Amino acid sequence: QVQLVESGGGSEQAGGSLRLSCAASGDTYSSYSFMGWFRQAPGKAREGVATIHSRGSTYYTDSVKGRFTISRDDAEKTLFLQMNSLKPEDTAMYYCAAAEGTLWAGVLNPRSYRYWGQGTQVTVSS
């Protein structure tokens, strides 16, 4: 059974930093072609924030480019999201997700991802 467990969320002031972690368990970690971070603010659709391919290519939504960095430690089966220069508009529930195979809907499209964590809340105050 696949499990993705996020941690590291919390409250931060604008301009601050947070680091999210996602620990994966189960035997299918090596089959993931992509892992990513998504977020959903109240009343808004879930959106892709950053994703990383198993070979290391990274993809970011425009609003976080230059501020967020996604990385993965395959030995520890852990995904990270370093978030710097946080803004109030970054406030959302952040989810870790994993996908296998080709992502026909796009690398930042939530519909491409089969496995999801429960989420961790990030709140940024001005």
Side-chain angles (χ1 to χ4, degrees):
Q1 183 177 357
V2 174
Q3 262 196 321
L4 300 173
V5 180
E6 302 95 335
S7 61
S11 297
E12 186 58 71
Q13 290 191 330
S17 298
L18 285 171
R19 189 189 195 209
L20 305 184
S21 298
C22 171
S25 62
D27 298 330
T28 58
Y29 181 87
S30 60
S31 71
Y32 298 157
S33 55
F34 281 88
M35 294 189 74
W37 290 97
F38 296 79
R39 66 187 179 188
Q40 187 166 18
K44 295 188 176 182
R46 189 170 297 188
E47 65 168 348
V49 175
T51 64
I52 184 167
H53 187 263
S54 58
R55 295 181 181 178
S57 299
T58 57
Y59 306 85
Y60 298 91
T61 192
D62 287 345
S63 63
V64 307
K65 286 180 181 177
R67 301 189 298 122
F68 291 10
T69 302
I70 188 171
S71 61
R72 57 194 286 174
D73 183 335
D74 291 339
E76 297 296 327
K77 297 184 180 180
T78 304
L79 181 72
F80 302 99
L81 184 68
Q82 178 66 44
M83 305 188 295
N84 298 328
S85 303
L86 284 164
K87 302 177 180 180
E89 50 264 44
D90 294 320
T91 295
M93 184 71 78
Y94 282 70
Y95 297 91
C96 170
E100 299 167 323
T102 301
L103 306 191
W104 300 108
V107 298
L108 287 171
N109 191 325
R111 291 182 298 170
S112 295
Y113 292 76
R114 178 179 180 184
Y115 306 105
W116 291 86
Q118 294 301 307
T120 185
Q121 178 67 38
V122 171
T123 302
V124 183
S125 58
S126 58

